Amino acid sequence: MPLGLSSFPVLSIITWSPFVGALLIMFLARRNALLVRWLAVASTAVSLILTLVIYVAYDREAAGFQFYEDVPLVAPLGINYQLGIDGMSLLMLLLTSIIIFAGAWASWTVKVRSQEFYALLLVLVTGVYGVFVSLDLFVLFLFYEIAVLPMYLLIGIWGSSGEVRPQGIFGWAFGRTGVGTKEYAAMKLTLYLLFGSAFILVGILALYVANDSSSFSFLEMELGQFDPRLQSWVFLAFYVGFGILAGIWPLHTWSPDGHASAPTAVSMLHAGVLMKLGAYGVVRLGMGLLPDATLQWSWLVGTIACINIVYGAFSAMAQTDLKYVIAYSSVSHMGVVMLGAATLTEVGLNGSVYQMFAHGIMTGLFFALVGLVYEKAHSREIFKMGGFARMMPGIATAFTIAGLSSLGLPATAGFVAELLTFLGAWQSSYSWWLIPAVGGAYLTAIYVLRVTKQIFWGPPSPDPHFQNLPDARGPEWAALWILVFVIVLFGVWPSLALAPVDTATMPLLNRLWVLQ
Amino acid sequence: MRSALGIEIGLAVLMLIVFLVGLVMPAGDKRRVGVLTAIGLVILLGISWRAEAGAEIFNGAFVQDELALFAKRLFIVATLIGVLASLPLRAVAFARRATEYYVAILASLLGMLVLGSARDLVLLFVAFELMSIPLYYLAGFLKREPEAVEAALKFFLVGTVSSAVLIYGLSFLYGIAGTTDIRGVATAMTTGHPMLLLGMLLALGGLGFKIAAFPFHMWVPDTYEAASTPFVAWLSVAPKAAGFIVIFRLYLEGMGDRVLFWVPAATGLAAVTIIGGNLMAIPQQNIKRLLAYSGVAHIGYMLVGFAAVSANGVAMMLFYLVAYLFGNMGAFLVVEAVAQAEGSEGIAAYRGLAQRSPILALSMLLFLLSLGGIPFVAGFWAKLYVFWAAAEQGLYWLVLLGAVLTVVALFYYLLVAKRMYIDAPDRRDPIPVAPLLSFCIFVCVLGVVLAGIYPRPLVIAALRAASPLF
């Protein structure tokens, strides 16, 4: 392996560096807010730099899982701390590193209990990294739980109240317990995701029991053949479990409430990265381990993805709160991810992974911008604001670029992803999927352009509160610059991402095509 | 004979010493009796570690196997923590009558120890009553408080009825099998006589009351709410564990090779207990009642391991019992600490605890997460292992049901976490905790975290303990 990385536990360092940062913050940086921030930035920078290093070092000719680490954890039970990445994990790792680095900068304004905030944020990121690099299903599940739980406190303590309307059975339960609305969003999110993890755990245990070698290793399970009937229901368990996190309809309702009430960095991380954990889980575990079931259920996954696309777009259109617009647009865009995967074609699956990346970056940018706008204008009501571009040209430009990527304009990352996915849908056995998918892209254009015009480029708002608003300044620029740069870079040079991803998707699809 | 009965004889001697010392102590200075009890229990724990498995006396009626030893250590540890946590109790009634309190606890412990080894129906029942009767008395120990008397009465009535049902069931077993030896019952089982099954069913009802399985749990929340908290912490763990040991003896050893016959009843009982306990815990505003119902749910989870009817299943239940011991006792001890300072057992008393006493709040969070089954604390492995054992037997529906209801459990645990971490405190001053109480809480935290990070030695011990049954 190049660069002499074979003996160096680079994946572990990437994964645990934020965690070490969190420990340092908890023990060293008491009452020193500036040190807290710099520790957070530094520990995420370590991960980012090492991710870039392995991105360059990843051998695209050799493909397969590289940078392999394997330490026995509970040997008699077949649990190993087994890490490795292929092209798909590599891209997800890159996404996570970029978003959390930008997120650390975007949280610069958190003043209340900032020490705990950063510590929880960094612990959460360790969980996310861990899921992307784990090759042992049990360890993967542990990391998954680490990624989910801090969210409860992050939203519950630092979230914003008042913008969320409790509804449905959760609304009723919360009316009785008398807790506030951000707690409602935090609780709903946590319980939905833990509900999902219950399904995942049952699925993993079922595979473990069915696996003759009694090991949780992904690589070993991949070699084995599971009984098609077992595959069938385990696939559904994984689809429900991970799909909740990916925001599939009708299990997505936690996501708009959660995103809307989360603090900026948490929204960025959650919509940008955590939802990808769900999609990644469906592709890696569901499609990777259960080929028969994948062929059996692809119609279901694709059809629900179409509902996601159209339903999410219509819901986004109906919102008046800026954060809800972005949150519902995520639901719609995650539909594109799932649709690409369900096509079971090479372009489609590549497009799916590309969309995970592109959507992660642009949603991260969107939420960073919404955070900035809210901080300066103290409003998220779209129709009260107007003409902000005169006062905050930088924010307006960045928002427009994110919007254009969202609606799939060429030369942005979003374009490549959607184009590939649509091609895949056309080539798949259900070419009618193309109709709702393209329709969704059209609807996206409507709501994105409308929101952008209303807030930034339209006539100025008569409201005196909005007369003298500052543009972004200081550290706030960091997140915007990084994310805009990535959107354009991956838009004009798609092979940056497609080359490694293709090495991961081809073997996966080959196993499916053998069965067909 | 001496080697087999060493622990029980040691405890009987300790009881006598505590009783005599208590008699001669001046009335205002009974605290030392508790200290003496605690020291005695530590010595007893040492004896139990030196005891060797394998002895059988009284024609096999009393057996000192790995299971019995594991159970006895569990009972002694739980009692030790309970006694240590009781030492700082300050109520007037308590100071005067401390001797009775500790002697009653030791008497109940003696019942449990014998129960752990009993393989004979009569011995089993006698030990069971020896364990239970002091509990009724202890539940009403604070006799000046009307709730305590009412709760004790309720506990007593339910308890005696359940004993009656149990002995009624056992009498059928004896009548058909013609012997009080549990292995003899197993032999008789092969005849498939319907009365034997009726006897087993009645006995399960009686035991269901003792371990507080749904729908036999009615006494639990009221008793827990009214009795003194350190006692409740112990009550919620030790007698339940003893109940499970009886269930193992009766339904695994006593069923012989017809053991699988019992699976539908066990799965059904597990399912309704999990559902009932978790759902009823949601609306509770008093934390002791909340923990009481959550305890009912935990009994259900343990029954999942029982329903697996395998050596693994039993071992995983034993592991679960240990995780439950530390998690549940720890949670009750935090409740005691907060109640002493705030004078309230409502969940509202926990507002902003994280900002007042961060370490106390963190301990409570760890206990709740352990009870909820979150990774890196003991409860996670406990739940995982019982589900695992059930999955091995193909009981996927039960696993899924349990896993989904775990989420419901997390809902009410998180509500407590929310009070502690998210809500702003009414006052800023830290909560004072008696040194002994904080030591006990620390021990529980240590147990929860160590078993969570490195569960292997405990799993191996549990597996060894379960081996004599299969």
Side-chain angles (χ1 to χ4, degrees):
Chain A
M1 205 172 289
L3 293 179
L5 284 170
S6 53
S7 58
F8 184 63
V10 61
L11 294 180
S12 285
I13 296 179
I14 291 176
T15 305
W16 292 103
S17 162
F19 190 81
V20 172
L23 289 182
L24 289 177
I25 285 175
M26 280 315 279
F27 291 110
L28 289 185
R30 286 211 169 270
R31 293 182 201 82
N32 187 341
L34 202 63
L35 183 60
V36 167
R37 288 176 201 145
W38 280 111
L39 274 174
V41 168
S43 62
T44 52
V46 170
S47 297
L48 178 61
I49 291 166
L50 282 177
T51 309
L52 291 174
V53 169
I54 59 169
Y55 175 78
V56 175
Y58 183 82
D59 187 347
R60 287 160 179 68
E61 302 300 318
F65 288 93
Q66 303 181 11
F67 307 103
Y68 190 71
E69 292 172 34
D70 194 354
V71 180
L73 213 60
V74 190
L77 302 177
I79 300 173
N80 297 301
Y81 178 75
Q82 190 180 36
L83 310 183
I85 53 165
D86 65 354
M88 185 164 39
S89 331
L90 178 66
L91 198 64
M92 292 300 107
L93 221 52
L94 188 64
L95 170 69
T96 314
S97 291
I98 295 172
I99 294 283
I100 183 59
F101 186 66
W105 287 102
S107 318
W108 213 257
T109 48
V110 171
K111 296 278 192 299
V112 184
R113 296 163 81 177
S114 68
Q115 186 194 0
E116 291 161 273
F117 176 83
Y118 275 106
L120 285 170
L121 195 66
L122 293 175
V123 169
L124 186 152
V125 170
T126 293
V128 175
Y129 277 126
V131 173
F132 286 139
V133 300
S134 294
L135 291 180
D136 186 284
L137 298 193
F138 192 83
V139 176
L140 184 144
F141 181 78
L142 291 182
F143 277 121
Y144 180 88
E145 295 278 308
I146 301 180
V148 168
L149 280 171
M151 198 61 82
Y152 177 70
L153 293 174
L154 281 169
I155 296 179
I157 300 178
W158 293 276
S160 51
S161 286
E163 323 281 343
V164 182
R165 296 170 294 277
Q167 285 168 336
I169 182 162
F170 269 90
W172 173 81
F174 274 78
R176 289 173 59 91
T177 53
V179 300
T181 47
K182 64 182 177 186
E183 289 91 344
Y184 156 77
M187 183 72 90
K188 183 171 177 180
L189 180 146
T190 315
L191 290 185
Y192 258 89
L193 299 189
L194 290 175
F195 180 75
S197 70
F199 282 83
I200 297 170
L201 182 63
V202 175
I204 289 177
L205 281 182
L207 290 186
Y208 174 81
V209 173
N211 181 20
D212 297 330
S213 61
S214 282
S215 152
F216 283 101
S217 166
F218 178 83
L219 298 175
E220 272 181 40
M221 287 191 185
E222 204 181 35
L223 296 176
Q225 277 291 327
F226 293 109
D227 172 43
R229 279 183 50 214
L230 178 84
Q231 282 194 31
S232 177
W233 74 257
V234 172
F235 183 88
L236 287 183
F238 282 155
Y239 180 57
V240 171
F242 285 114
I244 288 178
L245 187 50
I248 58 162
W249 180 88
L251 303 169
H252 68 283
T253 61
W254 59 270
S255 104
D257 288 344
H259 292 163
S261 53
T264 301
V266 177
S267 297
M268 289 172 69
L269 205 64
H270 205 260
V273 182
L274 262 113
M275 288 177 93
K276 276 71 200 177
L277 286 187
Y280 176 85
V282 173
V283 174
R284 170 72 82 220
L285 266 60
M287 295 175 68
L289 292 177
L290 311 165
D292 293 303
T294 308
L295 293 173
Q296 184 190 350
W297 291 114
S298 71
W299 65 270
L300 179 78
V301 177
T303 307
I304 289 185
C306 288
I307 299 177
N308 253 43
I309 295 175
V310 177
Y311 171 88
F314 270 118
S315 304
M317 223 184 263
Q319 303 302 317
T320 58
D321 180 317
L322 184 54
K323 235 176 171 179
Y324 266 103
V325 174
I326 310 300
Y328 274 109
S329 89
S330 288
V331 174
S332 173
H333 283 111
M334 287 308 291
V336 176
V337 172
M338 298 309 289
L339 179 65
T343 60
L344 306 185
T345 61
E346 188 187 355
V347 271
L349 193 53
N350 282 349
S352 164
V353 180
Y354 206 103
Q355 171 76 347
M356 288 191 212
F357 183 78
H359 173 250
I361 299 288
M362 72 199 179
T363 307
L365 181 55
F366 264 135
F367 277 117
L369 289 164
V370 174
L372 283 176
V373 168
Y374 182 74
E375 201 165 296
K376 301 188 187 301
H378 299 290
S379 171
R380 292 189 337 217
E381 285 297 312
I382 297 164
F383 297 102
K384 285 186 186 154
M385 300 186 274
F388 282 9
R390 280 186 304 114
M391 295 169 286
M392 36 175 86
I395 293 177
T397 311
F399 196 95
T400 312
I401 292 173
L404 294 178
S405 176
S406 176
L407 59 83
L409 190 82
T412 58
F415 168 72
V416 186
E418 294 201 351
L419 181 72
L420 291 175
T421 309
F422 294 166
L423 278 174
W426 178 247
Q427 289 176 7
S428 75
S429 357
Y430 307 89
S431 42
W432 63 266
W433 281 344
L434 196 57
I435 301 167
V438 174
Y442 176 70
L443 294 174
T444 308
I446 297 177
Y447 69 77
V448 166
L449 291 178
R450 204 173 54 161
V451 165
T452 317
K453 173 182 158 280
Q454 173 68 34
I455 298 182
F456 293 103
W457 305 104
S461 157
D463 193 325
H465 289 111
F466 300 143
Q467 291 314 315
N468 279 309
L469 299 175
D471 204 354
R473 53 190 162 197
E476 292 168 355
W477 283 114
L480 307 191
W481 274 110
I482 297 166
L483 297 174
V484 167
F485 173 74
V486 175
I487 287 182
V488 177
L489 180 68
F490 281 79
V492 295
W493 198 359
S495 69
L496 273 181
L498 283 179
V501 168
D502 204 49
T503 64
T505 49
M506 277 316 291
L508 202 158
L509 288 170
N510 277 332
R511 298 181 63 218
L512 291 175
W513 290 337
V514 168
L515 292 171
Q516 251 173 348
Chain B
M1 182 191 263
R2 187 143 40 86
S3 66
L5 275 172
I7 308 172
E8 286 75 12
I9 291 172
L11 180 59
V13 171
L14 175 67
M15 240 171 93
L16 205 64
I17 295 174
V18 169
F19 179 66
L20 290 176
V21 171
L23 273 183
V24 297
M25 280 263 171
D29 201 20
K30 299 281 189 190
R31 221 182 107 103
R32 288 192 206 149
V33 182
V35 179
L36 183 69
T37 313
I39 294 170
L41 284 172
V42 173
I43 296 169
L44 211 57
L45 197 60
I47 296 176
S48 80
W49 238 277
R50 292 204 44 195
E52 277 177 25
E56 279 191 21
I57 48 174
F58 305 140
N59 297 327
F62 186 98
V63 52
Q64 187 82 301
D65 53 4
E66 294 280 358
L67 177 69
L69 278 179
F70 188 94
K72 285 175 189 182
R73 285 167 200 154
L74 183 88
F75 300 146
I76 297 175
V77 170
T79 312
L80 182 61
I81 296 176
V83 166
L84 283 178
S86 300
L87 285 178
L89 278 180
R90 274 193 298 253
V92 182
F94 192 81
R96 244 181 340 103
R97 299 189 296 142
T99 316
E100 300 160 41
Y101 182 83
Y102 294 113
V103 170
I105 284 187
L106 291 180
S108 182
L109 176 62
L110 184 60
M112 291 175 201
L113 293 185
V114 177
L115 201 55
S117 290
R119 208 163 58 183
D120 178 275
L121 295 181
V122 176
L123 185 62
L124 190 144
F125 184 73
V126 170
F128 213 89
E129 288 302 288
L130 178 57
M131 171 186 90
S132 302
I133 288 168
L135 296 180
Y136 309 142
Y137 160 72
L138 286 167
F141 191 74
L142 304 171
K143 62 184 177 188
R144 298 279 155 77
E145 293 177 22
E147 299 91 3
V149 176
E150 187 193 319
L153 189 64
K154 197 165 180 173
F155 186 22
F156 170 68
L157 288 177
V158 173
T160 42
V161 169
S162 71
S163 294
V165 175
L166 176 66
I167 191 82
Y168 192 45
L170 296 185
S171 68
F172 280 119
L173 296 185
Y174 169 72
I176 303 300
T179 167
T180 57
D181 189 338
I182 287 181
R183 286 164 304 179
V185 177
T187 321
M189 273 294 163
T190 48
T191 61
H193 199 292
M195 280 319 219
L196 280 171
L197 289 176
L198 181 69
M200 283 291 193
L201 195 69
L202 285 169
L204 187 70
L207 290 169
F209 278 104
K210 296 289 182 198
I211 61 169
F214 185 89
F216 312 112
H217 66 281
M218 289 83 73
W219 58 273
V220 171
D222 294 335
T223 308
Y224 283 16
E225 192 185 358
S228 75
T229 311
F231 163 69
V232 170
W234 177 70
L235 174 70
S236 69
V237 175
K240 303 240 167 84
F244 273 115
I245 303 300
V246 179
I247 290 185
F248 291 151
R249 296 270 184 223
L250 209 51
Y251 292 89
L252 296 175
E253 284 196 317
M255 289 296 274
D257 49 3
R258 293 176 62 87
V259 70
L260 286 175
F261 199 83
W262 204 246
V263 174
T267 48
L269 198 63
V272 294
T273 306
I274 294 174
I275 296 173
N278 276 322
L279 291 187
M280 284 182 299
I282 295 175
Q284 302 305 327
Q285 292 300 319
N286 179 304
I287 190 133
K288 276 163 90 176
R289 292 185 77 88
L290 186 141
L291 286 174
Y293 281 115
S294 99
V296 172
H298 282 286
I299 298 299
Y301 288 112
M302 291 180 225
L303 284 169
V304 172
F306 175 57
V309 193
S310 63
N312 266 352
V314 173
M316 297 324 163
M317 276 182 71
L318 292 173
F319 183 91
Y320 201 121
L321 276 170
V322 177
Y324 178 68
L325 186 160
F326 289 118
N328 211 43
M329 285 195 88
F332 271 114
L333 297 182
V334 175
V335 170
E336 169 71 7
V338 173
Q340 274 180 8
E342 300 290 292
S344 161
E345 284 161 0
I347 296 178
Y350 291 79
R351 288 172 64 92
L353 189 66
Q355 290 173 60
R356 296 180 63 189
S357 298
I359 295 179
L360 196 62
L362 185 66
S363 313
M364 188 66 167
L365 186 68
L366 282 173
F367 297 139
L368 292 176
L369 290 181
S370 177
L371 291 174
I374 297 298
F376 304 112
V377 267
F380 169 72
W381 299 104
K383 282 217 172 67
L384 180 78
Y385 286 146
V386 293
F387 288 162
W388 195 324
E392 277 176 343
Q393 303 299 315
L395 291 167
Y396 290 113
W397 69 270
L398 191 61
V399 176
L400 191 63
L401 177 89
V404 167
L405 276 154
T406 302
V407 181
V408 176
L410 278 165
F411 171 74
Y412 53 80
Y413 293 138
L414 283 180
L415 277 185
V416 180
K418 170 198 164 286
R419 301 271 179 199
M420 296 191 301
Y421 278 87
I422 299 180
D423 287 1
D426 299 328
R427 297 203 312 254
R428 288 264 157 202
D429 56 319
I431 286 182
V433 185
L436 259 178
L437 198 56
S438 43
F439 172 75
C440 293
I441 294 174
F442 174 74
V443 168
C444 291
V445 169
L446 214 59
V448 165
V449 172
L450 282 185
I453 293 174
Y454 191 55
R456 198 163 158 239
L458 191 54
V459 172
I460 291 171
L463 279 169
R464 212 172 48 220
S467 57
L469 289 176
F470 287 89

